[in-house]
Amino acid sequence: MTTPDRQPPTPDPSASEFQDRVHRSSGGIAAGVLLLAIILWLGIDAVVKGRGHTPWLALAAMLLLIPLVIAFTMRPAVFANDERLRIRNPFRVIVLPWGTVAALRSGYSNEAITNAGTKYQLWAVPVSLRGRKKAARQQSRATAGPGGRGRLGSFSPQPPAASSEPPRAGADKAMDDLRELAETHLNSERAQGEPTVRWAYEVIGPAVAGAVLLGILLAVG
């Protein structure tokens, strides 16, 4: 008795081709967690122990502050794959097919510029001048060669081997990665389309409600 041949499942090419590369700010996430802990600690304490309008003021303040803290610290992210660049900023989500990206510029902030000249800041990839200075110092030490002196003025017996690539700050490495994707897939058929922008009403709604409620409570006294 023979059994019918079973065809192996066809691999899904999109599983690897369209997997997102995610860039986030670890410092921003850490700051957000700390701020949320402080807000919740103070807010819950005011709700439990407060008198009169104090508990309601605390609830309104938390309703206003918590979405804003999340929006500016934990929410920002940049997702990139073979088709498009998706930028999740505090109050908007911008989707840019690679065919619409004219440049990825780094200055005092990192920005994506479309063919129409519209600029979108990448909140999740903040420029770190301190990181750039640190990378510059590392590169300077690496290129000093055997004649470079140590901290005490003595010659280093075994200088570190120079790496194939100069040191780069974390944000600059992320931008290099995005530029490589943009250059590779600029003319791809899958990477064409129109930019789209969506407002983050899930953040804006609670924050506006908290601001309105806080204003009413303060006005009532």
Side-chain angles (χ1 to χ4, degrees):
M1 182 177 179
T2 61
T3 58
D5 294 335
R6 294 184 178 180
Q7 296 292 333
T10 303
D12 184 6
S14 63
S16 58
E17 291 183 1
F18 303 110
Q19 184 175 1
D20 283 336
R21 303 183 189 181
V22 184
H23 299 280
R24 310 181 73 129
S25 172
S26 56
I29 295 174
V33 171
L34 178 61
L35 288 173
L36 285 178
I38 294 174
I39 292 171
L40 290 173
W41 173 43
L42 296 176
I44 294 174
D45 182 72
V47 169
V48 174
K49 299 180 181 179
R51 297 181 180 179
H53 292 300
T54 301
W56 293 105
L57 288 171
L59 288 173
M62 286 193 293
L63 185 60
L64 169 63
L65 293 176
I66 289 176
L68 293 180
V69 169
I70 293 175
F72 284 98
T73 60
M74 304 174 70
R75 173 181 167 83
V78 172
F79 306 87
N81 60 27
D82 294 351
E83 284 189 327
R84 50 93 184 118
L85 174 68
R86 182 161 65 96
I87 306 167
R88 193 171 70 191
N89 282 343
F91 301 118
R92 294 189 299 178
V93 177
I94 303 103
V95 178
L96 303 175
W98 289 121
T100 67
V101 177
L104 290 162
R105 187 172 63 186
S106 296
Y108 290 105
S109 64
N110 290 315
E111 299 173 331
I113 305 174
T114 67
N115 295 327
T118 307
K119 301 177 184 178
Y120 298 104
Q121 186 174 351
L122 278 61
W123 281 77
V125 190
V127 170
S128 173
L129 297 180
R130 181 180 179 182
R132 287 180 177 175
K133 291 179 180 178
K134 181 179 179 181
R137 288 195 299 268
Q138 292 176 347
Q139 184 176 2
S140 177
R141 287 195 295 266
T143 57
R149 293 180 179 270
R151 292 184 59 185
L152 299 180
S154 60
F155 288 100
S156 175
Q158 293 182 351
S163 60
S164 59
E165 296 182 359
R168 299 276 284 167
D172 293 334
K173 290 180 181 178
M175 292 299 290
D176 290 343
D177 181 54
L178 296 178
R179 290 190 186 99
E180 181 181 355
L181 280 173
E183 293 173 0
T184 303
H185 303 289
L186 177 65
N187 298 317
S188 172
E189 293 183 2
R190 299 191 304 262
Q192 307 306 312
E194 294 296 327
T196 61
V197 179
R198 181 183 68 84
W199 288 96
Y201 294 108
E202 65 275 14
V203 174
I204 299 173
V208 170
V212 171
L213 180 59
L214 186 60
I216 293 174
L217 292 171
L218 291 174
V220 171

